[in-house]
Amino acid sequence: MNWYNLHAENQVDTPALLVYPNRVQHNIEALKSMIDDINRLRPHAKTHKTKEITQLQLDSGIRKFKCATIAEAKMLGECGAPDVLLAYPLHGAKLQRFATLVQHFPQTRFSAIVDHTDAVKKLSAIAVQNETQIDVFIDLNIGMGRTGILPDDAFELYRLSSEIAGLNVQGFHAYDGHVREIDIAERKNICDRNYEPIARLIERLLDEGFTKPRVVIGGSPSFPIYAQYPEVECSPGTFVLWDKGYADTLPEQNFLPAAVLMTRVVSLPSENTICVDLGYKAIASENSLENRVFFLNVPHLKPVSHSEEHLVLEAGVNHRFQVGDVLYALPIHICPTVALYDKLLVVVEGKVVDEWEVVARRR
């Protein structure tokens, strides 16, 4: 029996997302072993969005977390996480939602990111209005081109954030999801170059008499590199469940797949194709069709078409699949796949023993 198989498959409806807690715990311990100080870990909650996995990390000594939504921040607050960075721009109604969160969970030190003078002023105004203080990190654009201010332009924004009422500037946040080179030596060269303008910015701040800023940087691909940088905080997220995409492109990281999709053959539309119940609503579909899913027990299957409720697969002539057959698959990208499910089915020794609610699915 393979590690992912269920004993009583007919008792589980599909599509389902199975999670294996022993493997989750292995991944947490593997992450800790890759860094010199556990206080430099700030794992991202977006991958799992569950209280139970958060608690496993807390029980393992992790105290700092990162998230991307108010719902994830609220979940972390409810778990009693001591330190939470919400790494997403706050505008409109999110400003008051965040301020309310800060006040509702006093045991958690929440922080936000800013990358523009208007963002600083609006966050300051909401902090003053709510008679509270909000910690902030300046979000830096180190090549992703999505959010953040260029490091060479960030000095005055840092100064404003340090002087304006209601805010306590903490340092810098930088995400580098564009860095995905398979060769780790080349990946390191790119990460080192990306950090150079941050180092110059820090030196300028120190020369001007500022306290040394904190730096929260990177994701899964750059984690092994920045884990070797003294003092910076690292924020990988996918490690906890892992996926086929990173397993193929980050071979130096020895994490185990800990979440598996269970699906069934629902139709045999032609002599060489089968259809399974793994539509858009069951697996992340942002990648190209051929790069969305990998079937563990039948790796030769190739996607032909994908729609809301159906995934048609080329199975080959004279295949022996029957309607009702169960397949097990790894998503290429686990994070948005988790967000499609209300619950994770917890599997221990081939049996479903519990359900973990994906409480932070919403924004």
Side-chain angles (χ1 to χ4, degrees):
M1 178 176 171
N2 294 312
W3 64 267
Y4 48 81
N5 281 100
L6 296 185
H7 291 303
E9 293 175 334
N10 287 336
Q11 296 177 14
V12 177
D13 196 6
T14 55
L17 187 55
L18 314 178
V19 64
Y20 302 76
N22 293 339
R23 287 179 159 245
V24 172
Q25 189 63 51
H26 167 91
N27 290 343
I28 293 171
E29 296 305 318
L31 183 81
K32 291 165 56 180
S33 73
M34 295 170 69
I35 201 165
D36 62 335
D37 183 356
I38 195 171
N39 291 313
R40 292 178 52 220
L41 288 176
R42 186 182 286 276
H44 208 309
K46 69 174 182 176
T47 299
H48 61 87
K49 304 177 190 293
T50 64
K51 290 184 177 181
E52 290 82 0
I53 293 179
T54 299
Q55 192 61 53
L56 288 176
Q57 293 176 331
L58 287 166
D59 291 345
S60 297
I62 294 171
R63 293 292 175 263
K64 299 174 183 175
F65 297 86
K66 177 174 156 181
C67 62
T69 67
I70 299 287
E72 291 167 4
K74 181 174 182 287
M75 176 197 74
L76 292 166
E78 289 172 342
C79 291
D83 189 327
V84 175
L85 169 59
L86 176 52
Y88 195 87
L90 299 175
H91 295 285
K94 282 187 173 63
L95 289 164
Q96 183 56 55
R97 288 179 68 197
F98 182 74
T100 301
L101 201 67
V102 171
Q103 294 176 315
H104 190 71
F105 297 101
Q107 81 282 4
T108 298
R109 183 177 182 179
F110 288 99
S111 52
I113 61 168
V114 290
D115 65 0
H116 191 275
T117 54
D118 287 349
V120 171
K121 291 174 182 177
K122 289 176 181 177
L123 193 58
S124 167
I126 208 75
V128 171
Q129 177 184 321
N130 286 270
E131 299 180 342
T132 190
Q133 293 285 315
I134 294 177
D135 290 342
V136 296
F137 286 79
I138 308 299
D139 189 31
L140 299 177
N141 178 7
I142 57 172
M144 187 78 180
R146 188 171 65 184
T147 66
I149 185 172
L150 294 173
D152 291 342
D153 299 332
F155 181 83
E156 291 303 327
L157 189 65
Y158 194 94
R159 183 195 296 278
L160 172 63
S161 300
S162 71
E163 295 173 347
I164 200 165
L167 303 187
N168 299 316
V169 67
Q170 298 295 309
F172 300 105
H173 168 265
Y175 179 60
D176 55 358
H178 61 294
V179 179
R180 298 191 175 193
E181 279 66 21
I182 295 178
D183 181 76
I184 192 169
E186 179 58 22
R187 209 183 319 148
K188 182 180 186 305
N189 289 336
I190 295 171
C191 290
D192 290 343
R193 290 197 299 270
N194 288 344
Y195 196 81
E196 288 173 2
I198 301 177
R200 291 196 301 269
L201 177 57
I202 291 172
E203 283 299 316
R204 184 179 176 189
L205 287 168
L206 294 177
D207 289 343
E208 293 287 335
F210 287 92
T211 302
K212 188 171 185 178
R214 299 159 63 190
V215 177
V216 178
I217 190 167
S220 295
S222 58
F223 169 66
I225 291 94
Y226 290 126
Q228 305 305 313
Y229 275 50
E231 301 180 10
V232 305
E233 296 176 15
C234 302
S235 53
T238 307
F239 77 93
V240 76
L241 296 179
W242 215 223
D243 58 26
K244 179 62 175 172
Y246 275 160
D248 287 346
T249 58
L250 305 178
E252 80 285 345
Q253 299 189 36
N254 296 316
F255 300 116
L256 300 176
V260 173
L261 290 160
M262 180 180 175
T263 183
R264 277 188 171 85
V265 177
V266 295
S267 183
L268 304 173
S270 75
E271 64 176 7
N272 65 337
T273 60
I274 63 174
C275 180
V276 298
D277 55 358
L278 206 60
Y280 294 155
K281 297 176 181 177
I283 187 170
S285 56
E286 85 272 34
N287 291 329
S288 57
L289 179 60
E290 70 277 5
N291 196 33
R292 293 178 186 174
V293 64
F294 172 81
F295 290 91
L296 287 162
N297 53 334
V298 275
H300 69 279
L301 293 178
K302 296 180 180 180
V304 174
S305 67
H306 203 188
S307 53
E308 285 188 76
E309 312 289 352
H310 308 86
L311 175 63
V312 178
L313 302 161
E314 183 180 334
V317 201
N318 300 321
H319 70 76
R320 297 184 179 180
F321 287 103
Q322 299 295 321
V323 171
D325 285 352
V326 171
L327 308 181
Y328 296 89
L330 296 178
I332 301 300
H333 195 184
I334 185 63
C335 306
T337 296
V338 170
L340 298 172
Y341 289 84
D342 294 317
K343 60 188 177 183
L344 308 180
L345 302 186
V346 183
V347 179
V348 177
E349 296 181 354
K351 298 179 181 179
V352 175
V353 299
D354 201 357
E355 295 179 356
W356 291 349
E357 185 183 357
V358 186
V359 294
R361 289 181 67 206
R362 308 305 179 192
R363 301 198 66 82

